[in-house]
Amino acid sequence: MDSNTDRNADLAHVRNIGVAAHIDAGKTTLTERILFYTGASHKIGEVHDGAAHMDWMDEEKAHGITITSAVTRCPWRDCLIQVVDTPGHVDFTIEVERAMRVLDGAVIVMDAVRGVEPQTETVWRQASRFAIPRIIFVNKMDRPGASYDRCLDSLAKRLGGHPVPVCVPAGDGVIDLVEQRYWTFSGDRGADANCGPVPDEYTALMTRHRESMLLAAAEADDELEELVLEERPIAPERLWAALRSLTLQNRIHPFFAGSALRNWGVQPLLDGVLKLLPAPLERPVAIARRPDLDEDHEDAHELVEMSPTGPLAALAFKVQLWEGRRHVFVRIYRGQLRPGDKVRIGGKGFDERVARVFEIDSNSKKRIDLATAGQIVLLAGLRRATTGDTLCAIDHELLLETIDLKQPVLGLAIEPEFGRDEAKFLDVLAKVCEEDPTLSFEEDQDTGQRILKGMGELHLQIVFERIQREFKLSIRAGTPRVMSRETILGSGRGSVSLNRTIQLPDGKEVTMRARVVAEVEPTKRNQGIQVSTEPVFVPDTITPTADQLAAIRSGAEDSMGGGPIEGAPLQDVAVRIVEVELFEIGSTPQALRIAVAQAVRTALTDAGGCLLQPLMAVEVTVPDENMGGVLGDLQSRHATISGQESDMGTTTISGECPLVGLLGYATRLRSLTRGRGQFVMEFSRFDVV
C-alpha cells in the first residue's frame, strides 16, 4: 500500500489501535511482529537486544522498557492499521492516557503466566474511561505455567470484564473457534501462517471453548440465539458480525493467544483487529463545546462527526521535541489539514500556522501534503499548542474533551553542575516539562531550591538521562522529596473584621471595611476543594454588586493555595462563606477579597491541619522461602497488607505503602530475595499515614 493510497484510504478500512499492558507482558515484542508480518518492517528487532523498531530512544534501549508512546502504520489485508505502542511502567502512565484519548480500539496484552497485573488494571480503567473497545492477546503461551483459562478467569474476576475465547492455544498453534480451523506458523520467523483442519487431539478443547463463544455471541440477537440453542450450523460471517457488534458495545472482550517471541498467533490477532475493532466511523460521535456560549445555552454543544468535510476539529495529544524542534501529535476528528493552514487554539484566543504535516513511523517522519479526518499525524510550526488543546477552524471555535493529567508525587532538588549553564538549565527544563505534563518545575520559596517533580524515581532518572544526552547538560540532584498534601482534622470557624486605611498614589486616603464569617470542614478523601459563596448579607438593605460577589469568590479561592501546617496544597476541604457585612463605599471588591481570604485562613487554622502523603498500591512477587523476610520489611515501611496469593513456588503480596517508605525499595528487595523478587507500585491516593 503506497503513501498516496494510505492517505486516501477509506475510513471504513482504517483501524487506529493501541497496544497496552503491564510492563514486560510483551507489548513491544508483539508490535515488532505486527510490523514484520504486515511488511512495514523487513526485520524483527528484539527488545532484549536493544534493537526494537518502536523503542527508538537511547534510554529505552538501555533500560529495555518502553518509555514514550510510539506511533506507526502498517497495511494488513485491504486495511491500514495505525498502531500506538504504549509504555507499561506506571511512571509513564500519562503516555497511555494520551493514547487512549485518541484511539478507536485497543489490544490488551496479558502475560499467560501472571494473568491480570497491577498495570493491566490501570490501562483497563483508562480504556474504560473512554469506552474503548478492546481485544485481549494472551502472550507467552510457550512459558511453563502458562494458562489461557486462568487469564480468562482473572479478567472476569479482577477487572469485571466479559472474556470470550476466539482463538485458543493448542500445541504450537492456535484454534480459530469461529472458522473451526487450526493455525500453524513456519518459515522465516513465523511469517508463513497456514490454516488447516483441527487435529483430532484438539477437538474436545475446541468444542468446550466454542460453546462458550457461541453462547456469548447469541446475546447479539434473538435469531442467532435460536440457532445456537438448536445447535444448527452458523456461517462464520454471521458469527464474526455478532462478535463485532458486541465488542463495539463493550459487552464482550474477545480473547486471542500465542507467543510473540516465538512468532505464533500474531496473524490471527491481526485478522481479529480488522474483524472486531472499530473503524473511525464506528466510534461514538465526539461532543465539543462552544467556548463563546454559556454551558447551559441550547447551542453550547456540538456533535463532531468523523468526516473529511466540515470545519476542522483536531486534538493535540502530545508535544515532542524532535531533532531539537517542537512538534505536536494530533488526531483529526473532522475536516482536513494542509501545510500552511492557519488554526485556532480553542478557548485560548490565539491562532497559529501549521508549517509542515508528517506521517509518523516510530522515530522517523515523512512529509505529506494533506491530512484528513481519522488520521494521527505530526505537526511542525505550532509554538504554543500543548497537550489537550483543540485545534479548530479560525471561524468555528470548539473545545473537544481534554486529557486528564496526573499530579506529580516525587520531587528532587536539582541544579546545573556548572554555574555558566544557568540560562541553558532553565530553558531545557521548560522544554522537558512542556513535553511531559506529569513533570513540573518550581522554586521552593523557603529554601530557594529548584524542585523537579515527577511520577517516580525511574521517571526522574530517565529525564536526567535525556537531558544529559539530548542537551549535553549535566545536572546535580539531591535526595528524593515526597510531595505532600494537607487537609483539616475537623470543623473550623473564622471571623474577620477588616478596617484598613490605605494611601493612594495621588495622596488620597481610602478606608476599606468589611466583616466576614467563614466555616470549613473536612470531606471524604479525593473530593477536592468545595467552595460555597452564598452568604447572608448584613444589612439586608444593601444589594451586593456583581464585582463584589466575584471578589468574595476570588477571596475564598485565594485562601486555598496552601494548608495551615507547611503550606502544601489543600484537598478534601469544604469552605462556606456564612456571613458578609457590607459598609457602603468602604466594602470595595478589594476589601471583600482580602477579608474573605483572611476569614477562611483563620477557619483553617481553627480546624487544625494534618499532612497527607501519597499512598501507593503495591504488588510484590517473591519466592515462597523469602516471604517472611519481605513481609517484615514491608511492615517496617508502614505498609498495609491486604492479600497474598501463592502459585508455583512464588507468593504475590498486595497492599498499600507510603511512597516515602518505597524510595530505594527495589535495591532492598533484590537483596532480600537474591535478585529474584520484583515489585510494582501505582499511585492510589493522598491520605494520613
Side-chain angles (χ1 to χ4, degrees), residues 340-415:
D341 282 356
K342 202 171 185 180
V343 298
R344 173 153 296 172
I345 311 301
K348 293 192 174 179
F350 55 82
D351 303 333
E352 297 201 89
R353 191 175 298 278
V354 176
R356 295 180 180 86
V357 183
F358 301 96
E359 289 176 345
I360 321 105
D361 177 15
S362 185
N363 65 330
S364 64
K365 57 186 190 289
K366 181 180 180 181
R367 291 180 63 170
I368 58 175
D369 300 325
L370 172 68
T372 188
Q375 284 187 273
I376 295 174
V377 293
L378 188 69
L379 305 182
L382 303 181
R383 296 190 301 273
R384 300 167 72 181
T386 189
T387 300
D389 281 349
T390 301
L391 309 185
C392 47
I394 300 294
D395 57 352
H396 197 93
E397 194 168 357
L398 292 174
L399 290 175
L400 292 164
E401 181 185 357
T402 188
I403 296 171
D404 183 29
L405 302 179
K406 305 296 182 183
Q407 295 299 311
V409 296
L410 188 69
L412 286 177
I414 60 173
E415 62 182 13

Side-chain angles (χ1 to χ4, degrees), residues 552-569:
I552 292 171
R553 181 80 184 183
S554 298
E557 293 172 350
D558 291 345
S559 64
M560 307 306 289
I565 299 178
E566 57 181 39

